[in-house]
Amino acid sequence: MTVSAPTVFITGAAAGIGRATALTFARHGYRVGAYDIDLAGLASLRDEITGHGGDVVIGRLDVTNAEEWSEQLEQFTGPSRRLDILVNNAGVLTTGAFQDVPLKTHEQMIDINFYGALAGLHAAFPYLRDTAGAQVVNMCSASAIYGQPELATYSATKFALRALTEALELEWRRYGIRVLAVWPLFVQTAMTDGVETGSTKTLGIHLKPEDVAKAVYSATHSGRRWLTRVHYPVGRLTGISQRTPGWAQRLITKTVTRS
């Protein structure tokens, strides 16, 4: 692996979508930065990547800790300060009736899913600005199309991430930084194990982490267009729903979630 290899920094990389994304980029010759609070998961990921001749750096990162963001970005980029792609993937999910979910759990979802990405974007900006053609991928969700019963706060965090993505896509154009969002339906990961909501009962959970990882890689290698594309749905219903009017989205959501 040469020092000129492109770099990708991925949060929530120990398992699920983050792990699959790290493996995908490693196979394509990227120097991968894989970060999580699950050190055992990261160690096994490192073994898998290096076992296939890939280049990976792992480290503990609590995405809600701005100091840890700064430390890990500085260590990963080193003297080159090169950061080609930042993937904000870390997230948590708790389902249930809004009033039955403890307030502390709502707070945790907001802190990790939204503030964690915001803190990362803030810390990563100088590195992205100084790297030609840099990109950001924010892991959004089909739940950000229309507010989801039994997923209310999770859905709200993804709405916020959607807005942040759209704002920075415009604001950071002047620096040559591309900002985009990937929108998967439910994915077969530990986060959805045991999840039973109206929407999962109706739609099932069919996507695999590898499907989303493939979409992330494809989106970041689609080439620059005159008409900028910001949102990348993963799953047929997601793509259809994004193009429907508000009243229709409500009707679809009401039907799918059995509300």
Side-chain angles (χ1 to χ4, degrees):
M1 187 69 63
T2 66
V3 294
S4 62
T7 63
V8 59
F9 188 108
I10 305 167
T11 66
I17 294 170
R19 185 186 188 96
T21 301
L23 291 167
T24 297
F25 276 87
R27 285 195 298 270
H28 285 88
Y30 274 73
R31 178 172 180 261
V32 175
Y35 297 87
D36 207 304
I37 59 171
D38 176 5
L39 297 183
L42 289 177
S44 68
L45 172 65
R46 178 183 57 197
D47 292 345
E48 186 170 357
I49 290 177
T50 57
H52 289 88
D55 187 2
V56 61
V57 175
I58 64 171
R60 185 188 187 281
L61 173 59
D62 172 357
V63 294
T64 67
N65 187 316
E67 290 184 2
E68 288 188 13
W69 266 110
S70 296
E71 291 169 2
Q72 296 293 12
L73 282 165
E74 183 176 5
Q75 290 178 17
F76 176 65
T77 59
S80 75
R81 295 179 59 84
R82 180 172 183 173
L83 181 58
D84 293 279
I85 302 174
L86 168 66
V87 181
N88 278 314
N89 168 72
V92 293
L93 167 67
T94 297
T95 63
F98 176 81
Q99 67 277 7
D100 294 339
V101 175
L103 186 59
K104 195 68 179 176
T105 303
H106 289 290
E107 182 181 358
Q108 182 187 45
M109 281 190 279
I110 293 168
D111 286 348
I112 294 174
N113 298 357
F114 180 63
Y115 175 73
L118 185 152
L121 288 160
H122 199 270
F125 171 73
Y127 302 96
L128 296 165
R129 177 197 59 202
D130 296 342
T131 305
Q135 300 181 79
V136 173
V137 179
N138 291 325
M139 194 58 64
C140 209
S141 165
S143 67
I145 295 171
Y146 198 93
Q148 297 290 301
E150 301 176 279
L151 296 168
T153 298
Y154 178 82
S155 180
T157 64
K158 296 303 183 177
F159 265 89
L161 190 57
R162 169 184 181 168
L164 186 62
T165 300
E166 292 171 349
L168 293 184
E169 188 275 322
L170 294 171
E171 188 173 332
W172 285 3
R173 279 187 183 187
R174 73 192 69 177
Y175 305 108
I177 304 169
R178 182 180 179 221
V179 185
L180 61 99
V182 172
W183 296 58
L185 282 168
F186 294 107
V187 183
Q188 296 172 12
T189 67
M191 195 164 75
T192 59
D193 283 349
V195 169
E196 287 192 10
T197 65
S199 52
T200 59
K201 291 174 183 176
T202 300
L203 299 172
I205 305 177
H206 303 293
L207 287 175
K208 297 179 180 179
E210 293 77 16
D211 298 323
V212 185
K214 181 179 178 181
V216 171
Y217 187 83
S218 176
T220 53
H221 292 78
S222 59
R224 305 279 174 138
R225 305 180 180 185
W226 176 78
L227 184 60
T228 302
R229 184 176 179 185
V230 181
H231 301 299
Y232 289 78
V234 187
R236 188 165 175 266
L237 183 63
T238 309
I240 294 171
S241 297
Q242 284 186 314
R243 297 189 293 272
T244 58
W247 66 266
Q249 290 175 4
R250 182 182 184 279
L251 180 60
I252 292 171
T253 301
K254 187 175 186 298
T255 302
V256 167
T257 62
R258 307 178 184 187
S259 298

